[in-house]
Each structure stands twice: as C-alpha cells, then as structure tokens.
Amino acid sequence: MIEHTILSNLLYNEEYVRKTVPYVKDEYFSEVEHKIVFNLLYNYFTKYNKLSTKESLKISIDDKDGLSEEVYNNLNSIVDDLSIDKETDIDWLLDVTEKFCQEKAIYNAVKHSIVILDGKDKT
C-alpha cells in the first residue's frame, strides 16, 4: 500500500516529489513493476524538472524493451490505478515515506550483510 501511495504522489504531488526524490531509491520497492514505474517517474522528473503524466508513463512503458507480456500488463495496471487523495496531510505523508525509506535501507543493509557473511559476495 505505501509503495503505491509513494508512486501516486510522485506522479501527482510536486511538493512531495521535490522533498522526497533525493531519498527514495528503486531498491526500496519490492515488486519489479514498482521499481520500473519509480524509475520512469524519477528519470522524467530529473530530466525535465517537472512531474510526469500518465500519458508519458504509458508511452515510456511502450518504449521499454524486454518486458514480458505479464510485466507490461502489470505496469499499465499500476499506472491506471495511480491516484491521490488531495486531503492527505503532506507532513504525515513525508513522515510515512521517511519511515518507509529508513526501514527499507536497514532491511537491505542487513540482507547484504548476510550475503557477505555467507561468503557469497566476493567484493
């Protein structure tokens, strides 16, 4: 749910995007489709310095090579479902996003540490 809320606000809420883009990373999303949508939104915003649109997202998905039909359909479904509640308090939303990022960063660090301890990471 929080991942969907983050993606929705990255599409529709400029104040939210400007405050969170430096901190949210694709590695924090568990589903490959969410990572792809995040990267498309992030890349659009960093290139044009403005919010993407559903139309530009869908065109970017169409232009993306190597997607299976299932992933392609899931991406379009996710984009179709993106929406926000304009009544949501921005301060609350930023707090929830910060907590999400912190928890995912810790989870990823622990996971990577286990790989290192198991001797599977040669670097």
Side-chain angles (χ1 to χ4, degrees):
M1 179 67 177
I2 184 63
E3 294 180 7
H4 184 79
T5 301
I6 290 170
L7 293 175
S8 292
N9 279 277
L10 289 173
L11 179 62
Y12 291 114
N13 187 335
E14 187 166 356
E15 179 183 3
Y16 177 83
V17 173
R18 294 199 181 278
K19 290 181 178 182
T20 60
V21 144
Y23 307 106
V24 180
K25 299 178 182 177
D26 67 347
E27 64 195 46
Y28 297 161
F29 295 91
S30 53
E31 302 293 325
V32 68
E33 292 89 349
H34 287 152
K35 289 180 184 193
I36 292 170
V37 172
F38 169 78
N39 282 317
L40 292 173
L41 290 167
Y42 177 86
N43 292 337
Y44 188 96
F45 183 78
T46 56
K47 183 173 183 175
Y48 300 108
N49 197 31
K50 60 183 175 181
L51 299 179
S52 183
T53 63
K54 278 190 177 184
E55 180 180 17
S56 63
L57 265 178
K58 288 196 170 242
I59 291 170
S60 295
I61 291 168
D62 287 343
D63 290 344
K64 199 149 183 65
D65 293 329
L67 298 177
S68 69
E69 185 176 343
E70 179 183 1
V71 171
Y72 176 83
N73 290 335
N74 288 343
L75 286 169
N76 280 297
S77 177
I78 289 168
V79 171
D80 288 338
D81 290 342
L82 294 178
S83 65
I84 61 169
D85 180 354
K86 294 195 186 277
E87 299 301 315
T88 302
D89 180 60
I90 186 72
D91 292 327
W92 173 84
L93 186 59
L94 291 169
D95 286 345
V96 170
T97 303
E98 180 180 8
K99 183 179 176 195
F100 167 80
C101 291
Q102 290 171 345
E103 288 174 356
K104 289 295 186 172
I106 290 169
Y107 173 80
N108 290 344
V110 168
K111 197 166 117 178
H112 185 69
S113 297
I114 291 170
V115 170
I116 291 171
L117 289 172
D118 285 345
K120 295 177 183 170
D121 184 352
K122 302 303 178 195
T123 60

